[in-house]
Amino acid sequence: MPNNLKSADTVIVNAGVHTLDPKQPSASTIVIANGRILAAGGNHLLGEHRGPRTRVHDAKGQTITPGLIDGHIHPIQGSEITVGVDFGPVSTFDGFLAVLRTEAARVLAENPAGWVRGWNLDYGIFEGRRISADLIEESVYGLPAYILLFDLHTALASRKALRLSGITGGRRFCDNSEIVVDDSGNPTGELRESTAYDLVGSTAPALSAAQAVERARELISCLSRTGITSGTIMDGDLASLDFIDNIDSTGSGLPVRLVSALEHRPGLTAEEARSYVLSKDRRGRRWRGGLVKLLLDGVIDTGTGWLYEPDTMGGGVKSFWPDPADYAATVKNYSDAGFQIATHAIGDRAIGAAIDAYVSAGVRSRRGAPHRIEHLECIADKDLARLSTAGITASMQPLHMQWRKADGSDSWSGRLGAERSKRAWRIRDVIDSGAPVALGSDWPVAQYDARIGMAWARLRRIPGRTDAHVFEPSQRLTALEALKGFSVWAAEAQGDHDQGRIRPGNKADLAIWADDPLLVSADELIDLPIESTWVDGETVFSRQE
């Protein structure tokens, strides 16, 4: 080996590599040293960089892409709330009650004082009924029951769960959260937004600290099995950072990189905000902070998405912040402190208000990462142009469309009406406008498997169902765009320019596929095996082990 060339820790040979580096789009060999890409190119690199301790990995013709990055995920919160029954497969009201009865009977047999828990419930199963405890009392046999709907913006609690949580009527909150009450002021069991439903969640039995760490470690490990090497956590507080650091610094550590947000909600004290600012530069081996998450609205389905014009039921007229000027001031304070800002904004007016605040405060963090807006389910034309001009990242989740119905009878479409529903998840329009885009899952709201997310981005229908309705076909992405949305674009959204591409100097985070994800159909993509996942040049998952 020539003296001027560095020997490698690992050389991967005989691969079909999509580098996503425009200077060298393809390669057959990847050279790795000290956890980073040393070179990518042809077969000659093995001879040039092979040393006495170099490990040679024969990819045997398999396809390699940069490791996948989930631009919006909740693995820590998800490990705490995905307890009990996963109601995702349930599609009818009668089916919902049947599953509840089975689970309640199981709980009664094991512990008469136990709780019935569940998550991932679709609004559509109520079929026009008002969400209320009365609907489930008989099926849960009077037990305390706590069920989260799929979007994590609404929960249903039984009467006993309400009593145990001290909920006897309405209550004022600092944000737009709500304990829904009937005409007599009695709680119905419907709890909108987390400040309200956390009253019940904090009363329900919790995992021990050791159990919580182990469960979170297991769930995060599941991400690497699907080719994910990095993700942006869109919730958290200082305790969450401690929790992540505990996982990262014990055992085998984190198998994926994490950027973890601190969530600032209305009512956070000045002292708490100062402690957030002081934590900006916290980091560990495979995680870091420096991101603040704010919410400007709720969701379309419950009338809490903030819209320029009221929805068909008169909702959508309120910001999550009682005074939106306080939101803008909070953005300015954190931006001045050097943070990157992420804002949950689903309705068109919320999106517009987020753009206003960012433009006023400056659209980039001190690290150079553009501020970002999460979800953007219904964006107006005027704001699409402003998003592009400002260079604000649109962080979107195409697989959230799975709860829509072809005839528009779902709660999301019904609330918006036919005309506004046509502006749903305008990912193609955002890309064509020139605005930066990142794609993600929002797990546990939707499946964390990025292959499913990429398939939805390409198809805008149920993968594997060629007869399924296609929503807004003009908004479909190409295979390459979908891959970029879950890799290099998501990395740039985090401000991490040494991830998402296979090029010299970048972190050696890789996904090795059984076949080429850019050539297989989107319907086949969801079942395309990930052979192995690499972080820092080391295998964190192998299908053969």
Side-chain angles (χ1 to χ4, degrees):
M1 180 182 71
N3 292 332
N4 63 334
L5 293 178
K6 185 175 180 180
S7 62
D9 297 324
T10 303
V11 178
I12 304 176
V13 298
N14 299 325
V17 183
H18 294 299
T19 68
L20 302 189
D21 179 6
K23 294 181 179 178
Q24 185 172 3
S26 60
S28 61
T29 304
I30 301 173
V31 182
I32 300 170
N34 298 320
R36 292 186 178 265
I37 306 296
L38 187 60
N43 297 337
H44 65 282
L45 292 174
L46 175 60
E48 292 178 358
H49 293 278
R50 187 171 192 169
R53 296 184 181 84
T54 299
R55 178 172 66 112
V56 178
H57 178 86
D58 188 348
K60 299 179 180 177
Q62 292 168 343
T63 299
I64 301 179
T65 68
L68 304 179
I69 300 173
D70 192 317
H72 185 124
I73 194 167
H74 302 270
I76 307 304
Q77 182 189 39
S79 68
E80 298 169 349
I81 65 176
T82 53
V83 177
V85 177
D86 177 359
F87 285 104
V90 177
S91 58
T92 67
F93 183 71
D94 289 341
F96 167 53
L97 296 185
V99 173
L100 267 185
R101 283 192 291 271
T102 300
E103 178 64 5
R106 184 195 67 78
V107 170
L108 271 176
E110 292 184 3
N111 179 10
W115 283 59
V116 178
R117 299 286 299 273
W119 57 287
N120 202 18
L121 182 66
D122 186 0
Y123 291 94
I125 70 99
F126 292 100
E127 299 170 350
R129 300 173 178 87
R130 184 173 183 176
I131 299 172
S132 76
D134 290 341
L135 298 175
I136 64 172
E137 287 303 311
E138 183 179 338
S139 298
V140 300
Y141 306 125
L143 289 170
Y146 177 52
I147 301 161
L148 284 163
L149 276 77
F150 76 87
D151 58 8
L152 307 185
H153 284 265
T154 302
L156 171 59
S158 68
R159 292 173 188 162
K160 188 167 185 179
L162 293 171
R163 288 197 304 272
L164 291 173
S165 305
I167 298 175
T168 58
R171 195 175 303 182
R172 280 190 180 276
F173 297 104
C174 294
D175 53 31
N176 204 28
S177 297
E178 180 183 5
I179 297 171
V180 179
V181 296
D182 61 21
D183 294 339
S184 301
N186 299 311
T188 65
E190 181 182 359
L191 305 164
R192 294 179 182 170
E193 304 300 337
S194 62
T195 307
Y197 67 65
D198 280 347
L199 296 172
V200 179
S202 61
T203 304
L207 298 173
S208 69
Q211 288 172 327
V213 167
E214 188 53 37
R215 187 152 199 269
R217 191 190 302 276
E218 179 183 344
L219 285 168
I220 292 169
S221 294
C222 289
L223 301 179
S224 63
R225 297 170 195 165
T226 65
I228 293 174
T229 59
S230 183
T232 306
I233 299 179
M234 281 298 171
D235 63 87
D237 52 22
L238 296 179
S240 302
L241 301 188
D242 294 337
F243 188 85
I244 295 166
D245 196 52
N246 185 13
I247 298 174
D248 194 33
S249 58
T250 59
S252 57
L254 285 169
V256 301
R257 304 185 194 283
L258 296 173
V259 177
S260 187
L262 294 167
E263 189 171 297
H264 183 123
R265 288 176 173 252
L268 196 77
T269 68
E271 183 179 350
E272 289 170 323
R274 278 195 298 272
S275 68
Y276 278 16
V277 170
L278 292 173
S279 74
K280 179 178 71 68
D281 296 321
R282 282 194 64 182
R283 63 177 55 242
R285 187 172 65 102
R286 284 183 178 162
W287 74 273
R288 66 169 173 83
L291 176 67
V292 165
K293 163 79 175 298
L294 308 170
L295 289 90
L296 251 182
D297 65 352
V299 292
I300 301 298
D301 304 75
T302 61
T304 56
W306 195 20
L307 301 168
Y308 282 123
E309 300 293 337
D311 66 28
T312 59
M313 299 178 68
V317 297
K318 292 181 181 179
S319 161
F320 192 72
W321 291 65
D323 184 354
D326 291 338
Y327 159 78
T330 302
V331 167
K332 182 71 165 63
N333 290 340
Y334 280 116
S335 186
D336 287 348
F339 280 84
Q340 183 186 21
I341 316 292
T343 297
H344 167 116
I346 283 180
D348 49 19
R349 187 172 181 183
I351 296 166
I355 296 171
D356 290 341
Y358 290 171
V359 170
S360 177
V363 298
R364 290 184 178 270
S365 73
R366 195 168 295 161
R367 294 179 67 248
H371 297 325
R372 44 192 291 165
I373 300 176
E374 309 301 311
H375 307 309
L376 303 98
E377 291 181 6
C378 177
I379 184 170
D381 287 338
K382 62 180 180 181
D383 291 324
L384 180 67
R386 295 200 305 142
L387 191 78
S388 172
T389 300
I392 296 164
T393 297
S395 170
M396 305 179 76
Q397 299 77 43
L399 69 172
H400 283 197
M401 289 184 285
Q402 64 189 278
W403 290 283
R404 297 173 69 190
K405 295 181 180 179
D407 62 0
S409 62
D410 56 281
S411 56
W412 189 92
S413 302
R415 282 273 189 176
L416 283 180
E419 198 57 39
R420 274 185 294 194
S421 293
K422 295 176 183 177
R423 303 202 299 266
W425 286 271
R426 299 174 66 182
I427 307 174
R428 158 62 53 214
D429 288 345
V430 174
I431 291 173
D432 289 348
S433 78
V437 167
L439 300 181
S441 67
D442 201 15
W443 187 85
V445 172
Q447 304 93 323
Y448 58 72
D449 192 329
R451 293 170 295 183
I452 302 175
M454 286 190 283
W456 266 95
R458 292 168 59 178
L459 296 169
R460 293 182 71 96
R461 63 163 170 78
I462 302 171
R465 286 269 311 277
T466 56
D467 61 333
H469 179 77
V470 178
F471 298 101
E472 300 83 37
S474 64
Q475 297 296 322
R476 289 177 291 196
L477 304 191
T478 67
L480 179 59
E481 288 168 336
L483 176 61
K484 285 182 175 180
F486 276 99
S487 57
V488 61
W489 292 347
E492 290 170 347
Q494 295 176 168
D496 292 322
H497 297 284
D498 60 354
Q499 296 180 46
R501 285 193 171 103
I502 300 171
R503 65 181 179 186
N506 274 26
K507 292 173 179 174
D509 297 352
L510 311 169
I512 302 184
W513 306 69
D515 202 344
D516 192 333
L518 300 187
L519 296 182
V520 303
S521 72
D523 289 302
E524 297 172 314
L525 180 65
I526 59 174
D527 295 317
L528 180 60
I530 299 291
E531 295 294 341
S532 60
T533 305
W534 301 47
V535 177
D536 290 324
E538 299 293 333
T539 305
V540 294
F541 163 74
S542 174
R543 196 161 72 105
Q544 305 307 317
E545 295 178 0

